Amino acid sequence: MQPVLADSSGSKMLLLGSLTVALSLFLGTQLSLCQVVSGPEVKVPPSVLTSGLTPADTTRIADPKLNGGELQISFGLEPIGVQKSVVVEALQGASVVATIFAGNLTGSATPQVVTWDGRDGSNNFVDPGEYQIQVRLSNGLPPALLYPLTIVRLGITEIEAQPSLGSDEWQMVYFMKGTSYIFYTTPAIHEYLSVKDTGEVSDLDLNSGEPRTAAGLHTATAQPAMEGANYEDDRYNYPLCYLMGRQPVFEVTYGAQGTSSASGGAVSANFPVAGFEIRPQAQDGAGSWTTTATSISPGGTATFTGPALPANATRLERLVEWTWQYRAAGDVTWTDLPGSFTTQHRFYTLIGAPQWRTGASGTQYSGPWVEVADYVYTWKDQLGIAVVDQATVVEAIFKGFIGQHPSLTASIEGVIYDCYPMGGDGGATHYFQFSGTNMRLSKLLNNHALGVYVNCSDCSAAASAITAMMGVQNVKMLYLGTMNLKAIWGIGCPDYTLNLWGSGHGFSYHHIVTRFNGDPVCDACMALDVDGSPSTLPGTPGWNCDRPWTGTLGYDFLSSSNAVSRTVETLPYIN
Amino acid sequence: MKITRLMKSVPLVLIAVGLIQASALGQKQASGARPAPAEVQTGYQKRLAEVAAQYGSEGWQASPRRAGLPLGELEFPGFVGEDVYSSAGHIERRFCGADDLLSFNVEAKVCDNVPAAHAVMLEWLAGLSSLAPAPSAAELGFAVGDVGYAGLSGAAPGAISWIAFSRANVAVRVSVDEVHAPLTLDMQAISREVDRQVMLQTELGPKQALPRPVVRRLEVQQANCVAGDVLAIDLDVQDAEGEPAAITWTVNGPGQGYVERRDDGVFRLYTTGPGRIELSVQVTGRLGVSSVASLVAIEVEDD
């Protein structure tokens, strides 16, 4: 592969290694020669020419619409110190589509470098196609350089997160649509989508021809991306959910068309490029994404495997930079195509597969709810808990749910125990329905839409569903009989009390949670007093995260003065 | 947008309406349809029995059955009612004041018979954590329903946080949402208005069925598709009492998707993940009674 030098009269000089051979050619032969003598890079020692222009590394294939996609044109200007008026132009056929540079340059030992943003004289991006970059001296001598250039349109329209090992990737669930409670599962076919909307010309570009930017992260936790009153169906970027420690796998779809800035019509992506291979690459802050794809095609896909996610349950974001390389057929070395396309992805990691009530069906059971996963992420961070296993998930959830910890400011959704001194009404259920064992979790998470007051059943049902949803196994509600209470600190209340109702201090029944069939237990609506005197004030917080049932630090002794019956129930249904 | 895939349609395939219960046209009452596992409610059932005795439910009055409650049509001056929400056989509607600072919720269940409505009342009363029983409406000096109880609020002496009552076969609970709402809202008046609306409905004869909406047709365009396809749904519902109060779709996996009705008024299933989908629709009639119909399966292949 060789570059072409051309003089102003049409004579051509073909560079062969370190030799320069002058060839006088007719125009038709010139075009033929230009097509044949193309190459990704040109490296010729400037010393081979006695004066004038010498070729150097120059972009052969480019997509100026990528971020940083400006292509680089290099050439030598000799001898050192000489002042020359230089013109660099982009040609399509015989037409000049852009004057890239025109001005005086001084000869030096290092190549001159000019960049081009791919825009023409009207500031429009040139369409994908075949071009030549011409570097010439304004006086027409010595012969001009002609670099072949192929403009392509690269970009990503869809990304589908896939499992990496068994069932280790889950869709996520939203629960609101406007003011209605309607469940929505993140699309399994592509959690990231950026394609044309109705009335638009192409997936990769706006109708102006400017590149379509990457779809921004959808960070709302209750409602999915909307387009007016309808679900958004052409542009979104939903969070992803994987088992902790696993490597995310993305199936990426490449766009097939762009939009002409000049005509406004659809234009082909103009690849594959004859005589060249183009391969995709990706990397993020944690390292490179691997792929077996050695080529791409418009509308085609490639699968990438990313660096492992953290080995704990958390939330994180990664900026994945998608790049491309090219090489001439038969060449060994790949050359970076200038620029990149960057997508941002939010990951939630779980300690295990989400668990649901046996026999439950419906969209709400398609995966962890985004708002729940986000709560757990917030709680574990504020509490400083490294969530690495089931016990630490339980600790983060039950401490976070009740919120009575120095590093937390409120209970979940700011709820308050339903007792008279707090303005409540005596402990009625507001969110849990005994009939059908149903927890209206979406209403609780929607700024406590059924009221700020909750009782033990509301808390038990919500916390058990949340805990199971985050991958903890064998979580069940636990029904307790009548209790003569000792000192307790109710959810949303300011302190410990020995007079919960203002005129009494006991429960007709109580609902808590267990993942060990009744012992140990967890309580999401009250803390116990672990200062050694559980029947007197003040109290010392005793969180109920897997607290044993028996013993002096057991739930039974610390919570009540009577023998309390236990009945292991199930997980609630949720809606 | 992949809605254009509709145009490549194969001939319409009618999918049988799955009969969830052995009733005509594939319907069933949505109420509390899930059977509770045997191990679930031993402690709770014991409490229900205690509460029934405590409140003397055997002596509760029982008016003749009524056709239901038009919850979606209730109006309260100064409040805007949200959409009717239906789940687990209950219907709910939230009413918000103009400044959105004051709101209340009306929850109801239209039952087949009076004892079932009394059972719902007992569930609400059994859910009370405090040892003291809730006072009856009569004890508080007002009348609502055949039987009514109230949750006194700690916000102020005499303030009421919720009122639960049953009128005939309809159980109703009206509750406030926020701390200071009991100080402002006239809960008695709200409850009486709901009660009045129940009483305005047709009295049912002993063997007369509830006016349940009928799902006459539930079909989708194709039995097989590729994830990403959009399938038109043909839903034909008849509710003799008027416009249904709520239509709720459920997409059961492992296949994934959602149902949406856009400007042309056609329901469509937007498939978003491969696998088998069972699509079901719950239609809640104007008077609060629901029917459910399901499509047996739609096979969604990976894209």
Side-chain angles (χ1 to χ4, degrees), chain A residues 158 160 171 177 179-181 184-190 195-198 229-234 357 361-363 365-366 416-417 420 422-430 433-438 440 442-443 448-453 455-456 479 482-483 501 505-509 567-570 573 575, chain B residues 1-2 32 34-37 39-44 46-47 50 82-83 85 87-88 90 92-94 103 105 107 109 123-124 126-132 151-155 161-162 173 175-179 182 227-228 249-253 256-263 270-274 302-303:
Chain A
E158 301 178 11
E160 174 187 333
Q171 303 313 120
K177 185 182 186 187
T179 58
S180 299
Y181 297 90
Y184 176 92
T185 308
T186 54
I189 50 176
H190 38 58
V195 296
K196 62 184 176 184
D197 198 356
T198 304
N230 300 319
Y231 293 121
E232 177 62 80
D233 62 359
D234 51 68
R357 167 74 180 257
S361 62
T363 307
Y365 305 106
S366 299
I416 302 170
Y417 195 79
Y420 300 120
M422 294 301 295
D425 59 56
T429 54
H430 291 264
Q433 294 170 310
F434 283 96
S435 172
T437 321
N438 184 56
R440 292 174 282 193
S442 51
K443 294 202 168 185
H448 55 69
L450 292 177
V452 72
Y453 295 110
N455 83 343
C456 58
Y479 187 92
T482 304
M483 300 173 74
W501 308 113
H505 193 62
F507 284 147
S508 61
Y509 81 100
T567 304
V568 177
E569 301 184 337
T570 66
Y573 294 104
N575 63 26
Chain B
M1 295 179 63
K2 295 186 176 178
R34 300 175 175 118
E39 80 278 12
V40 171
Q41 302 211 357
T42 53
Y44 173 60
K46 180 182 174 186
R47 170 150 175 80
E50 292 170 352
E82 296 181 350
D83 291 342
Y85 178 75
S87 78
H90 290 242
E92 300 172 25
R93 192 174 182 212
R94 188 165 181 250
S103 61
N105 192 63
E107 176 182 5
K109 185 169 184 178
E123 287 175 356
W124 283 329
L128 208 56
S129 298
S130 61
L131 291 166
L152 294 177
S153 167
S161 183
W162 54 263
R173 184 167 69 161
S175 55
V176 298
D177 287 355
E178 297 300 336
V179 178
W249 295 91
T250 301
V251 178
N252 293 319
Q256 291 165 358
Y258 60 89
V259 175
E260 192 165 68
R261 178 159 58 176
R262 299 199 169 178
D263 292 343
Y270 294 75
T271 60
T272 61
D302 204 353
D303 65 341

